[in-house]
Amino acid sequence: MAFPHRLDAPELPDFSMLKRLARDQLIYLLEQLPGKKDLFIEADLMSPLDRIANVSILKQHEVDKLYKVENKPAVSSSEQLCFLVRPRIKNMRYVASLVNADKLAGRTRKYKVIFSPQKFHACEMVLEEEGVYGDVSCDEWAFSLLPLDVDLLSMELPEFFRDYFLEGDQRWINTVAQALHLLSTLYGPFPNCYGIGRCAKMSYELWRTLEEEEDGETKGRRPEIGHIFLLDRDVDFVTALCSQVVYEGLVDDTFRIKCGSVDFGPEVTSSDRSLKVLLNAEDKVFNEIRNEHFSNVFGFLSQKARNLQAQYDRRRGMDIKQMKNFVSQELKGLKQEHRLLSVHIGACESIMKKKTKQDFQELIKTEHALLEGFNIRESTSYIEEHIDRQVSPIESLRLMCLLSITENGLIPKDYRSLKTQYLQSYGPEHLLTFSNLRRAGLLTEQAPGDTLTAVESKVSKLVTDKAAGKITDAFSSLAKRSNFRAISKKLNLIPRVDGEYDLKVPRDMAYVFSGAYVPLSCRVIEQVLERRSWQGLDEVLRLLNCSELAFTDMTKEDKASSESLRLILVVFLGGCTFSEISALRFLGREKGKREQKVGCGGQGAVLRKAPRLAPAPLAGLAVGGIAG
């Protein structure tokens, strides 16, 4: 059933202040171009902008018309053009083409480019190369933290994961450091800091440099958040690759949550119109089921429908005065709750149809086998069948990556076979996909000799080459224990339960994966917070290849209140999943803390549709995005 909110949970900081700051800064930048102006907005900034400053606010500050940045000539007749864009080369070429087209037509206009979240020198270089640098004024909208809910922030940086973890581009580290600096300026210094991963360490060091340069801004401030934990996404790829089974995660997988809202189509609304719904704690129905395992959701919604009907039925037998009070005080709220209930029932039905069609139960069963290290050959056969049936290109890749990481790379024979089948099913253009997955460490091939054991070597001399090959395949999964297997055993990530796991009354964070697996990222956070350091986790750090990349910085807690010390900000660098957010909320309730989450990335993570930031009994922040 829905988790009860702890009465003793500490209050969260007011993160709406971040919205107000971003709105005021944007208005200031727009007013630097006095008079009527047309605003060109990049597509992936439209949703974040709508959460900060809607159309009516923009109109109040003399924005006449809004246009989407796209590859076609501008039709604006305004004498002033303003561009709100990401710092991307293609955007600069777009702006330059408009300016040069006006020059050829003999038209003079004012142009202003506002970069979000920051301006890069490379963009100015492109404008200079195109010969328009002197015609365009450039500024930056340092909008880096978007509150999505009371305990969730997002940096909405869709390219963060690819840029850093694939290309090795470190340009966004300064953006992360600036965001952390802003948080410490607004909400006081963080008495206790922990982190793991190369990106986390670099972001932390740059953040500390900024703090030292502006020493005094946070001095004397009483901390509102007692702990901050920075975690790189590549510390735990496994969790990001597992199918989500909590309601919010399934909604994201099915309908795609963007900036905390989702567009439900006619199949959900039972009408000919789509409906945009904001998914946060203000939606009472959603708030009670968002962290629930999907198997519990229908039962809850059915009970909710009966309760609502009972409240409506109270009208019978009321006198005029009671009816008047009912209509003025309760009816509007009941109608709103009824509408939301109808929407979420429709969403559940749509999810069920899609997952039934995809044979979701068999997919989950295969994932659990890979996590536990059982029936690897059967799981590989299932993946091959999944590819041949062309069920989903993304799902097939996720399964291949999960197999690779849990087995410390695919044996050459399986790698070649799966790759060939995938390219035949989905096209040779995915050769680049395999190259990128290999570079990111998500889908790798074991090097020759990695899996040869002494027994296997002796046996191979006594049999033919063909037979030896078969024996090599048979021994390969046993010959080398992957780091994930060792980490899983060390941290008890695979719970051992007598009987069936009770998903209605979960006992640990494993419920977010049907009781089969505790998210590695969340377990690491739990262990470090219990110890208040990395002490005793040396072996875990070695297995994670992070012995030199874990840090702890604990300052005096004299000024920190007991309430603030129960607040933890978790920062995912590279995106996080809704499963991890649900697991951290569960951990916060169990420990009596509140965790906020912040995410950097696209959304969802790695092979999902996108990554984010977040706060709660544990709080969280996701750099990149949140994914389901």
Side-chain angles (χ1 to χ4, degrees), residues 212-326:
E212 290 166 10
E213 288 175 356
E214 300 181 27
D215 190 28
E217 280 199 20
T218 59
K219 265 188 177 177
R221 284 292 308 274
R222 205 171 179 81
E224 292 188 46
I225 301 172
H227 310 264
I228 184 169
F229 196 112
L230 308 175
L231 183 139
D232 280 13
R233 181 70 274 173
D234 64 354
V235 169
D236 176 19
F237 278 145
V238 169
T239 300
L241 292 167
C242 293
S243 295
Q244 300 191 94
V245 289
V246 292
Y247 178 66
E248 191 168 10
L250 282 167
V251 169
D252 182 55
D253 280 346
T254 309
F255 305 102
R256 181 76 164 85
I257 298 174
K258 293 182 182 178
C259 285
S261 64
V262 63
D263 284 313
F264 288 126
E267 73 279 7
V268 173
T269 61
S270 300
S271 67
D272 56 354
R273 292 185 178 183
S274 293
L275 178 67
K276 188 172 184 176
V277 177
L278 197 61
L279 299 177
N280 58 26
E282 292 179 7
D283 180 338
K284 293 181 181 178
V285 176
F286 173 72
N287 194 45
E288 292 192 70
I289 60 175
R290 66 191 309 177
N291 304 309
E292 288 289 316
H293 188 279
F294 192 67
S295 63
N296 299 333
V297 174
F298 269 117
F300 172 83
L301 293 177
S302 297
Q303 183 61 49
K304 190 78 174 175
R306 287 194 290 271
N307 293 344
L308 271 179
Q309 187 60 51
Q311 287 179 283
Y312 274 120
D313 292 343
R314 285 174 44 225
R315 293 173 297 174
R316 297 169 187 167
M318 285 184 178
D319 58 32
I320 293 176
K321 185 178 180 181
Q322 290 172 326
M323 182 63 75
K324 183 180 178 181
N325 288 337
F326 176 80

Side-chain angles (χ1 to χ4, degrees), residues 482-496:
S482 71
N483 284 355
F484 175 76
R485 296 274 175 258
I487 293 167
S488 177
K489 186 175 180 181
K490 192 80 177 172
L491 293 177
N492 192 27
L493 300 182
I494 311 297
R496 301 301 171 196

Side-chain angles (χ1 to χ4, degrees), residues 185-231:
T185 301
L186 293 176
Y187 304 107
F190 300 98
N192 305 295
C193 302
Y194 318 92
I196 179 170
R198 190 176 304 280
C199 185
K201 194 168 187 178
M202 287 192 291
S203 300
Y204 170 78
E205 289 171 353
L206 182 54
W207 168 36
R208 281 307 185 209
T209 301
L210 293 173
E211 299 273 294
E212 290 166 10
E213 288 175 356
E214 300 181 27
D215 190 28
E217 280 199 20
T218 59
K219 265 188 177 177
R221 284 292 308 274
R222 205 171 179 81
E224 292 188 46
I225 301 172
H227 310 264
I228 184 169
F229 196 112
L230 308 175
L231 183 139

Side-chain angles (χ1 to χ4, degrees), residues 499-515:
E500 195 171 332
Y501 190 96
D502 189 352
L503 293 170
K504 290 187 176 180
V505 187
R507 47 187 272 180
D508 54 27
M509 293 183 287
Y511 90 92
V512 300
F513 292 115
S514 304

Side-chain angles (χ1 to χ4, degrees), residues 353-368:
K353 286 178 185 175
K354 181 181 177 182
K355 296 305 180 184
T356 301
K357 186 178 179 182
Q358 292 182 348
D359 199 4
F360 193 56
Q361 290 298 327
E362 195 63 31
L363 175 70
I364 295 294
K365 182 181 174 183
T366 301
E367 287 182 5
H368 291 177

Side-chain angles (χ1 to χ4, degrees), residues 68-250:
K68 183 179 177 181
V69 172
E70 49 193 355
N71 291 324
K72 63 182 184 181
V75 293
S76 171
S77 59
S78 177
E79 293 306 307
Q80 298 190 114
L81 304 183
C82 187
F83 302 87
L84 180 59
V85 295
R86 298 283 193 193
R88 295 167 178 158
I89 300 298
K90 67 174 184 178
N91 291 332
M92 297 306 96
R93 300 207 187 283
Y94 173 79
V95 172
S97 68
L98 295 184
V99 177
N100 284 325
D102 282 349
K103 284 183 178 180
L104 286 173
R107 184 172 188 178
T108 303
R109 295 200 260 200
K110 286 185 178 179
Y111 311 93
K112 182 179 183 66
V113 177
I114 301 174
F115 295 99
S116 178
Q118 69 181 86
K119 176 173 60 177
F120 291 135
H121 180 63
C123 293
E124 295 179 306
M125 289 290 290
V126 172
L127 294 175
E128 191 172 348
E129 288 170 5
E130 297 287 338
V132 300
Y133 185 68
D135 303 293
V136 178
S137 64
C138 297
D139 219 320
E140 66 180 27
W141 181 31
F143 162 54
S144 55
L145 291 168
L146 175 65
L148 297 178
D149 209 337
V150 292
D151 66 345
L152 186 64
L153 309 172
S154 176
M155 291 193 70
E156 292 299 318
L157 293 175
E159 55 267 89
F160 184 96
F161 181 86
R162 182 186 181 92
D163 284 354
Y164 182 80
F165 292 101
L166 179 62
E167 306 294 347
D169 188 338
Q170 300 175 8
R171 60 181 173 155
W172 298 113
I173 288 176
N174 179 60
T175 308
V176 176
Q178 292 285 359
L180 296 174
H181 179 56
L182 175 62
L183 287 172
S184 63
T185 301
L186 293 176
Y187 304 107
F190 300 98
N192 305 295
C193 302
Y194 318 92
I196 179 170
R198 190 176 304 280
C199 185
K201 194 168 187 178
M202 287 192 291
S203 300
Y204 170 78
E205 289 171 353
L206 182 54
W207 168 36
R208 281 307 185 209
T209 301
L210 293 173
E211 299 273 294
E212 290 166 10
E213 288 175 356
E214 300 181 27
D215 190 28
E217 280 199 20
T218 59
K219 265 188 177 177
R221 284 292 308 274
R222 205 171 179 81
E224 292 188 46
I225 301 172
H227 310 264
I228 184 169
F229 196 112
L230 308 175
L231 183 139
D232 280 13
R233 181 70 274 173
D234 64 354
V235 169
D236 176 19
F237 278 145
V238 169
T239 300
L241 292 167
C242 293
S243 295
Q244 300 191 94
V245 289
V246 292
Y247 178 66
E248 191 168 10
L250 282 167

